[in-house]
Amino acid sequence: MSVKIYLDESEIPRQWYNIAADLPTKPPLAPDGSPLTPEMLAPVFPMNLIEQEVSTQRWIDIPQEVLDILYRWRPSPLKRAVFLEKALNTPAKIFYKDESVSPAGSHKPNSSVPQVWYNKQAGTKTLTTETGAGQWGSALSFACSLLGLTCKVYMVRISFDQKPFRKVMMETWGGKCIASPSTETQFGRKILEQDPNTPGSLGIAISEAVEAAVSDQTGSTKYTLGSVLNHVMLHQTIIGLEAKKQLAKVGIKKPDVVIACVGGGSNFAGISFPFVHDVINGEQIDIIPVEPASCPTLTRGIFHYDFGDSAGMTPLLPMYTLGHNFIPEPIHAGGLRYHGMSPLVSKAAKDGLISPRAVHQLECYKAAVLWARTEGGIIAPESSHAVAATIQEAIKAREEGKEKVILMNLSGHGHLDLAGYSKFFAGQLVDHSHPQEAIEKAEKELEAFPEA
Amino acid sequence: MSVKIYLDESEIPRQWYNIAADLPTKPPLAPDGSPLTPEMLAPVFPMNLIEQEVSTQRWIDIPQEVLDILYRWRPSPLKRAVFLEKALNTPAKIFYKDESVSPAGSHKPNSSVPQVWYNKQAGTKTLTTETGAGQWGSALSFACSLLGLTCKVYMVRISFDQKPFRKVMMETWGGKCIASPSTETQFGRKILEQDPNTPGSLGIAISEAVEAAVSDQTGSTKYTLGSVLNHVMLHQTIIGLEAKKQLAKVGIKKPDVVIACVGGGSNFAGISFPFVHDVINGEQIDIIPVEPASCPTLTRGIFHYDFGDSAGMTPLLPMYTLGHNFIPEPIHAGGLRYHGMSPLVSKAAKDGLISPRAVHQLECYKAAVLWARTEGGIIAPESSHAVAATIQEAIKAREEGKEKVILMNLSGHGHLDLAGYSKFFAGQLVDHSHPQEAIEKAEKELEAFPEA
């Protein structure tokens, strides 16, 4: 059997799968708890994306011009991790979608390209956003560069410092990258006054990027989000739809296990939602979102309405949350340091369609090093969470003597994350747990908002 | 037309093309100018690779176990640079082999994998090498990791400092990376005494790596070279052989122009030698090796016997050289900072089969930025030399109104080379020319050695 399964460009899925058609969620609410109207979102997003955000149509066409850009690296290869299988002496067959092959190095351009394209259609000239590990900021800069929009990225300070070259990468694509909290926004200045040494968080950076967008009175500046929202999950489903076709090519009707890391949800949703669809329709597939034990939103968080950001500027979303004031430990998987979770992923967990799992940082780095020394690639710290769980499942398959098919999403490469590897080798990394007091504190704070 | 042309794994070339069968060169000589016997190389290389080095057999089988590892990323995709074509408004069709998709990020593993495999067959336990930009050191660490050998890499100090994360990458694959000149070898200590602040050079690092190998009295430590030698050129020809098959798939019988950057010669030889073969047999193809103007070995060097290293430990090779004492300016394309050139590439240039070209650093970075903003990828500074010449040729095709087919080799990504981009954006980079006095000085020094 080949270790790489390609699809021809002509075989690319031409529609995204919208799980909102099969998994109804409660609607977002305005910050004051009142119903949210599309008009209220209009200062932040263009109307065509707002329509996509609230759509319950099951299949949505991918515009041809978007496909023309995605063709640069899509369909992405499905690969078989034969050398890892051998090292683990497992009867499991481990397949992985390699999303690291995109120019920006992760799955993120699957959504940045359509988001920039829809914004351009709507007349947007400048896009703002936040980025954690830098993957989304890179992806948005890349897409803006190709489509001719201006791009401004607020990068969580801890990641900005840990990964200095992410900024250069964004600049190479013509984007502007600012450490968050910054002095450029009211909210950033406020946070810096309270704690000049804060590592920042995705929540804070979101607040700054939204403020920068809505404060442009001309209306030509909009905000983009690289995860969490329904339309982002939608765009990413191309991953799982491709994977289905690729598995079929080698005679596999369905995987037994689907694994992906989860922060805001986009990488996980991307590979899993087409399979969650099958679970809803009675298939037996074990679908595992993997999160850091230091930011255990799905495994220990509270299912409740909460803000998507830290400042309380975004709508209230019905989701698993650790509380919007929670600032996660500065682990190296910056893309997974988020207090909340995509409402659609949250609903799938709440309904028992998926089986969340938390893993610790050191186990993840050990898994990443084993991956490098067997499969070869240097992977992102985020992706190492998926690899850690994949190794757990492959060992379980060996113990059970079962020839399981495991499908994993490799969200990105770690070429700009080597500082973390360096600290790991130097023995400078530790595991962080999430204290019970933090959960109790969040529960109290959430009492002010409606139940989800 | 698809923008990506894949080959199935079953279509991979199963033999390397050995241009030595069609392009006879003078033999290497011992450092004292006497004939070199295979036995004299035995302390440095295993006998199976020495046999390959001196072979004049036109086609050499690729071992199945080597193919099993190459399948991870080979056949590499051939891509069409449609967005660059559009930006340049050129009638030229620009195709490029994307060698950045290997786990180590460049074309180098095409040779590190077979070199480690042949060494393992011969009983070698430890391999030493030098690395300029870090690409070869990474590739050797990667291959040693998969095949279970110990790896020790001497990295040119200027690159070691410019690219701190290359070391971490090598360590992730279990390799050891040492800044050169180092205090670990006699030669390194000697150089450091003369100039403690030397940026180092490939020539110095080669000397250190050879010394480290031959000083192991057990004979189980051997040296590897990532370029220059015949067997390395041989291994890389898989690139051009694949490209031929891929062009044929879209109905292209031959390219009009073939372009690759050239330092020691391996990346250039890899894509071009199968086409040089056609030129020898009467085809009209313009084959362009592109080198830095600050290290213009092919365009301004002297065709003469010279040492491959700086210490005079290696055999004398018949090649274009700037003199083995020449230390190139610390440009960011570290992989192109080499005083000499593959004897086979040199002979092809001497015989007029190829048309060398030199480009300056700033033009290369401008080309790299245009590439990122059109095609998307962040490329290595070495590769940017090929892109700069490709842009020149595409513009020429526009001016001539000709629908030329240009085939370029993209040797690697620049994810670990962002410090150079950063300096470019900050306006801190300058162009370096090669002074005429340096040529004259080298000419005098070379008088001590036989003519090539």
Side-chain angles (χ1 to χ4, degrees):
Chain A
M1 187 196 281
S2 291
V3 298
K4 299 187 299 301
I5 304 150
Y6 290 120
L7 292 180
D8 191 74
E9 286 166 25
S10 62
E11 298 172 285
I12 201 167
R14 305 191 74 86
Q15 296 182 309
W16 291 301
Y17 167 58
N18 184 10
I19 202 171
D22 298 304
L23 193 67
T25 54
K26 284 194 179 177
L29 299 173
D32 64 1
S34 66
L36 185 77
T37 63
E39 290 68 33
M40 294 164 78
L41 288 173
V44 183
F45 298 111
M47 201 49 75
N48 50 11
L49 282 177
I50 294 171
E51 281 162 18
Q52 212 168 63
E53 178 65 19
V54 299
S55 169
T56 53
Q57 193 184 319
R58 184 168 289 114
W59 296 97
I60 294 180
D61 288 345
I62 308 176
Q64 185 59 46
E65 288 178 46
V66 168
L67 286 175
D68 286 342
I69 295 178
L70 297 184
Y71 284 146
R72 275 191 173 71
W73 71 97
R74 302 212 75 85
S76 72
L78 181 74
K79 296 182 181 170
R80 172 103 182 260
V82 284
F83 297 87
L84 179 64
E85 291 171 14
K86 207 176 151 191
L88 297 173
N89 190 26
T90 178
K93 290 188 175 73
I94 303 171
F95 292 90
Y96 65 101
K97 273 296 262 188
D98 188 357
E99 292 295 311
S100 75
V101 300
S102 81
S106 78
H107 67 293
K108 293 290 189 186
N110 298 332
S111 186
S112 71
V113 171
Q115 284 196 52
V116 175
W117 187 84
Y118 282 111
N119 266 288
K120 188 174 182 177
Q121 296 301 108
T124 306
K125 303 291 181 204
T126 299
L127 284 170
T128 70
T129 198
E130 76 290 335
T131 197
Q135 300 278 23
W136 173 249
S138 302
L140 190 71
S141 298
F142 158 71
C144 281
S145 161
L146 296 189
L147 289 160
L149 273 72
T150 300
C151 179
K152 201 167 180 179
V153 180
Y154 293 86
M155 185 168 183
V156 179
R157 179 171 296 277
I158 176 78
S159 295
F160 188 92
D161 293 340
Q162 282 172 345
K163 302 170 188 184
F165 293 128
R166 273 285 168 198
K167 175 173 180 280
V168 184
M169 190 174 235
M170 294 180 219
E171 284 171 351
T172 303
W173 285 308
K176 189 176 175 197
C177 176
I178 306 140
S180 165
S182 77
T183 55
E184 296 209 355
T185 65
Q186 277 195 318
F187 186 69
R189 290 190 291 272
K190 189 182 130 195
I191 295 283
L192 284 173
E193 270 168 36
Q194 290 165 2
D195 178 7
N197 297 317
T198 173
S201 73
L202 272 178
I204 294 169
I206 293 173
S207 302
E208 290 205 84
V210 171
E211 183 185 324
V214 300
S215 60
D216 173 2
Q217 302 299 326
T218 71
S220 71
T221 300
K222 298 290 176 193
Y223 165 75
T224 67
L225 193 63
S227 195
V228 181
L229 298 182
N230 291 11
H231 68 277
V232 186
M233 305 299 124
L234 175 78
H235 300 156
Q236 294 291 354
T237 58
I238 195 167
I239 303 172
L241 295 168
E242 286 178 5
K244 274 195 170 186
K245 287 192 178 191
Q246 287 163 312
L247 287 173
K249 283 213 168 186
V250 290
I252 294 172
K253 277 191 187 167
K254 71 169 187 75
D256 299 295
V257 186
V258 177
I259 296 172
C261 65
V262 66
S266 78
N267 155 73
F268 169 74
I271 196 157
S272 74
F273 277 5
F275 297 100
V276 174
H277 171 267
D278 299 342
V279 171
I280 291 170
N281 289 301
E283 280 283 16
Q284 170 59 38
I285 306 173
D286 200 9
I287 300 178
I288 306 172
V290 191
E291 61 187 10
S294 58
C295 191
T297 318
L298 283 173
T299 51
R300 297 184 58 207
I302 305 140
F303 189 72
H304 210 282
Y305 270 103
D306 195 7
F307 289 119
D309 66 338
S310 299
M313 293 182 68
T314 71
L316 291 165
L317 301 171
M319 62 180 177
Y320 279 97
T321 175
L322 295 164
H324 64 270
N325 291 317
F326 173 63
I327 297 181
E329 292 287 339
I331 59 166
H332 277 271
L336 309 183
R337 293 178 68 246
Y338 181 58
H339 71 271
M341 179 59 62
S342 150
L344 288 169
V345 172
S346 295
K347 187 62 163 55
K350 184 73 181 169
D351 289 359
L353 300 166
I354 60 177
S355 311
R357 183 177 300 181
V359 286
H360 277 286
Q361 179 161 258
L362 293 178
E363 181 180 354
C364 293
Y365 271 102
K366 275 177 208 150
V369 171
L370 178 61
W371 182 271
R373 293 180 185 181
T374 53
E375 290 305 309
I378 309 271
I379 60 173
E382 291 80 8
S383 311
S384 74
H385 289 68
V387 172
T390 296
I391 291 171
Q392 291 173 356
E393 289 298 306
I395 290 171
K396 189 174 148 201
R398 181 181 72 205
E399 287 166 353
E400 295 175 351
K402 284 187 187 164
E403 261 196 37
K404 286 183 183 173
V405 172
I406 299 173
L407 172 65
M408 184 190 89
N409 203 17
L410 187 72
S411 55
H413 65 63
H415 302 160
L416 280 84
D417 304 300
L418 286 159
Y421 280 84
S422 181
K423 285 190 183 161
F424 172 67
F425 291 129
Q428 291 165 0
L429 295 186
V430 292
D431 285 336
H432 302 277
S433 287
H434 189 67
Q436 184 59 28
E437 307 87 79
I439 306 275
E440 286 160 17
K441 180 165 170 280
E443 271 172 343
K444 267 188 202 147
E445 287 172 1
L446 288 168
E447 281 171 14
F449 306 119
E451 286 193 23
Chain B
M1 188 196 280
S2 291
V3 297
K4 299 186 301 300
I5 303 150
Y6 289 120
L7 291 179
D8 192 74
E9 287 167 26
S10 62
E11 297 172 286
I12 200 167
R14 305 191 75 86
Q15 295 182 310
W16 291 301
Y17 167 58
N18 184 11
I19 203 170
D22 298 304
L23 193 67
T25 54
K26 284 195 180 177
L29 299 173
D32 64 1
S34 65
L36 185 77
T37 63
E39 289 68 34
M40 293 165 80
L41 288 174
V44 183
F45 298 110
M47 201 48 75
N48 50 11
L49 282 176
I50 294 173
E51 282 163 17
Q52 211 167 66
E53 179 65 18
V54 299
S55 170
T56 53
Q57 192 183 320
R58 184 168 289 113
W59 296 97
I60 294 180
D61 288 345
I62 307 177
Q64 185 58 46
E65 287 178 46
V66 169
L67 286 174
D68 285 343
I69 295 177
L70 297 184
Y71 283 147
R72 274 191 173 71
W73 71 95
R74 301 213 77 84
S76 72
L78 180 75
K79 296 181 180 170
R80 173 105 181 259
V82 284
F83 297 86
L84 179 64
E85 290 170 17
K86 206 175 151 192
L88 297 172
N89 190 26
T90 177
K93 290 188 175 75
I94 302 172
F95 292 89
Y96 65 100
K97 274 294 264 187
D98 188 357
E99 292 296 310
S100 75
V101 300
S102 81
S106 79
H107 68 293
K108 293 290 189 186
N110 298 332
S111 186
S112 71
V113 170
Q115 285 196 51
V116 175
W117 187 85
Y118 283 111
N119 266 288
K120 188 174 182 177
Q121 296 301 108
T124 306
K125 304 290 181 205
T126 299
L127 285 169
T128 70
T129 198
E130 76 291 335
T131 198
Q135 299 279 22
W136 172 248
S138 302
L140 190 70
S141 298
F142 158 71
C144 282
S145 161
L146 296 189
L147 288 160
L149 273 74
T150 300
C151 178
K152 202 166 179 179
V153 179
Y154 293 86
M155 184 167 183
V156 178
R157 179 171 295 277
I158 176 77
S159 295
F160 187 92
D161 293 341
Q162 282 172 346
K163 302 170 189 184
F165 293 128
R166 273 284 168 199
K167 176 173 181 278
V168 185
M169 189 175 235
M170 293 179 218
E171 285 172 350
T172 303
W173 284 309
K176 190 177 173 196
C177 176
I178 306 139
S180 166
S182 77
T183 55
E184 296 208 354
T185 65
Q186 277 193 316
F187 185 69
R189 289 190 293 271
K190 190 182 130 197
I191 295 282
L192 284 173
E193 269 167 38
Q194 290 165 1
D195 180 4
N197 298 317
T198 173
S201 73
L202 271 178
I204 295 170
I206 293 174
S207 302
E208 289 206 85
V210 172
E211 183 185 324
V214 300
S215 60
D216 174 1
Q217 301 300 326
T218 70
S220 70
T221 301
K222 299 288 177 196
Y223 165 74
T224 67
L225 193 63
S227 195
V228 182
L229 299 182
N230 292 11
H231 68 277
V232 185
M233 304 300 124
L234 176 78
H235 300 157
Q236 293 292 353
T237 58
I238 195 166
I239 303 172
L241 295 168
E242 285 177 6
K244 276 196 170 186
K245 288 191 178 192
Q246 287 163 313
L247 287 174
K249 282 213 168 185
V250 289
I252 294 172
K253 276 190 186 167
K254 72 167 187 78
D256 299 295
V257 186
V258 177
I259 296 172
C261 65
V262 66
S266 78
N267 154 73
F268 169 74
I271 196 156
S272 74
F273 277 4
F275 297 99
V276 174
H277 171 268
D278 299 342
V279 171
I280 291 170
N281 289 302
E283 279 283 15
Q284 171 59 38
I285 306 173
D286 200 8
I287 300 179
I288 307 172
V290 191
E291 60 187 11
S294 58
C295 190
T297 318
L298 283 173
T299 50
R300 297 184 59 209
I302 305 140
F303 189 71
H304 209 284
Y305 270 101
D306 194 7
F307 290 119
D309 66 339
S310 300
M313 294 181 67
T314 71
L316 292 164
L317 301 172
M319 61 181 179
Y320 279 98
T321 176
L322 296 165
H324 64 271
N325 290 317
F326 173 61
I327 297 182
E329 291 288 338
I331 58 166
H332 277 271
L336 309 184
R337 293 178 68 246
Y338 181 58
H339 71 272
M341 180 58 63
S342 149
L344 288 169
V345 172
S346 296
K347 188 61 164 53
K350 185 72 182 168
D351 289 358
L353 300 167
I354 59 178
S355 311
R357 183 176 300 182
V359 285
H360 277 287
Q361 179 161 258
L362 293 178
E363 180 180 355
C364 292
Y365 271 102
K366 274 177 209 151
V369 171
L370 178 60
W371 182 270
R373 294 180 185 180
T374 53
E375 290 304 308
I378 310 271
I379 61 173
E382 290 81 8
S383 311
S384 74
H385 289 69
V387 172
T390 296
I391 291 171
Q392 291 174 356
E393 289 298 306
I395 290 171
K396 189 175 149 201
R398 180 183 70 206
E399 288 166 353
E400 296 174 350
K402 285 189 187 163
E403 262 197 36
K404 285 185 184 173
V405 172
I406 299 174
L407 172 65
M408 183 191 89
N409 202 18
L410 187 72
S411 56
H413 65 64
H415 302 161
L416 280 85
D417 304 299
L418 287 159
Y421 280 84
S422 180
K423 284 188 183 162
F424 172 67
F425 290 129
Q428 293 166 359
L429 296 186
V430 293
D431 285 337
H432 303 277
S433 288
H434 189 69
Q436 184 59 27
E437 307 88 78
I439 306 274
E440 287 159 17
K441 180 165 170 280
E443 271 171 343
K444 268 188 202 147
E445 287 172 2
L446 287 168
E447 282 171 14
F449 306 118
E451 285 194 24

